[in-house]
Amino acid sequence: GNIWASNIMLGTYIDDKWSADRSKLDYPTISESVADEVFAKFPRCKHLAFTFRFMDNASHNLLYATYHTEQGHYVSNIFETNNLVDRIGSGDAFMGGFIAGLIHEYAPQELIDYATKIGYKKLFVNGDFIII
């Protein structure tokens, strides 16, 4: 999910100023405060990731994600495309990559970069899922 989903589903604070009009590169810092709030509210939570996808038009996407643990905050590489095929399933592909990274015990930065790359690759595959 993202910081707005966290607000709706978990009741975390969201400032009205955190709209899509804000610089797209400000959100990793904002996501740190949301993550800290989630960890305080839900002490059994050990891993938290937020995805960010910004679209200027139907085919231009800027995509990145953040990964949070109580030990640190990590930001993925930023991916951009102007020629995607299908957005449907990219969040699921991200989550599959994230779970795989946890299972394989990737280092935190490697984990969030891997998961984001898998979600990004899905943008170029027609249909609901990606096979890698």
Side-chain angles (χ1 to χ4, degrees), residues 15-68:
D15 191 316
D16 291 337
K17 295 176 192 166
W18 299 347
S19 70
D21 297 333
R22 193 170 176 102
S23 169
K24 292 159 183 57
L25 301 179
D26 286 344
Y27 289 102
T29 302
I30 294 168
S31 71
E32 288 180 19
S33 65
V34 174
D36 290 341
E37 185 179 352
V38 170
F39 290 133
K41 283 183 158 190
F42 305 97
R44 291 177 52 190
C45 179
K46 302 297 177 207
H47 305 273
L48 184 64
F50 295 118
T51 57
F52 297 92
R53 184 175 62 203
F54 300 96
M55 300 172 290
D56 295 333
N57 59 55
S59 59
H60 179 250
N61 280 247
L62 182 73
L63 176 75
Y64 64 91
T66 61
Y67 173 42
H68 309 274

Side-chain angles (χ1 to χ4, degrees), residues 107-128:
Q109 188 63 55
E110 183 182 13
L111 188 154
I112 195 61
D113 286 339
Y114 178 75
T116 306
K117 181 173 69 173
I118 297 299
Y120 176 74
K121 284 184 173 187
K122 169 53 192 86
L123 296 174
F124 305 98
V125 176
N126 194 25
D128 288 351

Side-chain angles (χ1 to χ4, degrees), residues 61-79:
N61 280 247
L62 182 73
L63 176 75
Y64 64 91
T66 61
Y67 173 42
H68 309 274
T69 68
E70 291 180 324
Q71 290 75 39
H73 304 282
Y74 309 89
V75 181
S76 75
N77 293 316
I78 298 173
F79 295 92

Side-chain angles (χ1 to χ4, degrees), residues 95-114:
M95 201 63 229
F98 187 82
I99 292 168
L102 287 173
I103 290 169
H104 292 293
E105 299 181 354
Y106 289 172
Q109 188 63 55
E110 183 182 13
L111 188 154
I112 195 61
D113 286 339
Y114 178 75

